[in-house]
Amino acid sequence: QVQLMESGGGLVQAGGSLRLSCAASGSIFSINRMGWYRQAPGKQRELVAGITRGGSTNYADAAKGRFTITRDNTKNTVYLQMNSLKPENTAVYYCNADLEYYTGTNSHKPLDEWGQGSLVTVSS
């Protein structure tokens, strides 16, 4: 079994910063891509940023220049640094990991795992 534990969400004033963290735990063989998605009220879930095992990143247009995604492979953890926050950034942010987990001593299986979601509220 594998879990993604998110932390760092909360209430922040417009113009402020917030840093989200997501740590994967369990019988993990490897983690390829990790990413952050958001879901605002009444809207579909959408990609904010993604990062590969080797450190290649991609961002939604709205996130470029203000948000930075990083990862620490020694801790199986991905971060999202959010600066210059705006009220429109208010959403539930979900961590995602494309990984493989151990099913036995000599076998592993792919899994697309999601965190429970973390609410980010930006006040004006």
Side-chain angles (χ1 to χ4, degrees), residues 14-118:
S17 298
L18 215 56
R19 186 183 186 233
L20 303 181
S21 299
C22 174
S25 62
S27 302
I28 298 171
F29 171 73
S30 65
I31 304 178
N32 182 25
R33 181 184 179 276
M34 303 187 81
W36 290 95
Y37 292 72
R38 57 167 270 148
Q39 188 165 19
K43 300 185 68 176
Q44 297 287 97
R45 189 174 301 185
E46 60 187 8
L47 175 72
V48 177
I51 185 168
T52 68
R53 185 190 307 109
S56 297
T57 60
N58 67 288
Y59 296 90
D61 288 341
K64 293 178 181 176
R66 298 188 298 117
F67 294 1
T68 303
I69 186 170
T70 58
R71 65 187 285 175
D72 184 344
N73 292 335
T74 68
K75 299 179 179 179
N76 288 332
T77 300
V78 63
Y79 308 91
L80 184 67
Q81 179 68 44
M82 302 184 291
N83 297 327
S84 301
L85 283 163
K86 306 173 181 178
E88 52 262 44
N89 296 134
T90 295
V92 176
Y93 286 75
Y94 295 89
C95 176
N96 172 256
D98 174 18
L99 54 81
E100 292 186 83
Y101 67 101
Y102 286 106
T103 59
T105 57
N106 297 310
S107 62
H108 43 87
K109 184 179 297 184
L111 176 66
D112 187 30
E113 182 74 342
W114 293 88
Q116 81 283 356
S118 182

